[in-house]
Amino acid sequence: MLSCRGRQLLCKQCRWHAPSMAARSLSFAAAPEPEDDDWHEWLPSMFVRLLSAFGMAHVLTEYGADLTLCSGPSMLPTLFPEGEIILVDRLTPRLYGIQGGCVGRERVKLARQRQEEFED
C-alpha cells in the first residue's frame, strides 16, 4: 500500500491532503479587509513596503537608468525638438568613467572659428 505522498491513497490526517488545506490552496477569495481597530498591526508593514518601494525607485533612477523628456533644438537632426522620451544610462559612466579627449576641444575650436568668421 502506498503512503499518502504516493498520491494513490488519500489520508484524512495528512497535512498534504487535509480538506482545509486543499480548500485554502484552491480558493481565490480576497484577503479580509482590515478592521478599524487593527490599523496598528498593518500600518507599520505598509509603511515599510512604501519606504522600500520609494528607496528602490530612487536607487534605480540615480544609479541605473532614467527616463527624460527632451525639449529644445540641441539634438535637432537626431531628435525632435519637443516630446522625445530618452532613456539615460547612468550605470556605464559610473563603472567605466568618462574618458576625456580632443573631440570637445575640436568642437570648441571650430565653434570659435565659425563665430569669428560670422563677425568679420
Side-chain angles (χ1 to χ4, degrees), residues 39-72:
W39 66 270
H40 63 277
E41 293 177 4
W42 59 266
L43 186 64
S45 67
M46 184 64 68
F47 179 72
V48 169
R49 288 179 185 175
L50 285 173
L51 192 63
S52 298
F54 283 122
M56 287 189 294
H58 169 72
V59 168
L60 179 68
T61 58
E62 185 70 26
Y63 300 108
D66 193 15
L67 291 175
T68 302
L69 183 64
C70 183
S71 64

Side-chain angles (χ1 to χ4, degrees), residues 4-5 7 11 13-19 21-22:
C4 65
R5 290 195 186 184
R7 308 283 180 185
C11 67
Q13 295 146 358
C14 175
R15 68 182 179 103
W16 296 99
H17 298 110
M21 290 294 289

Side-chain angles (χ1 to χ4, degrees), residues 93-111:
R94 287 188 184 271
L95 291 177
Y96 302 109
I98 299 174
Q99 301 294 324
C102 59
V103 176
R105 292 183 193 136
E106 289 177 7
R107 289 185 65 191
V108 169
K109 190 187 315 182
L110 183 63

Side-chain angles (χ1 to χ4, degrees), residues 23-33:
R24 272 187 255 148
S25 65
L26 295 177
S27 69
F28 296 104
E33 292 291 325

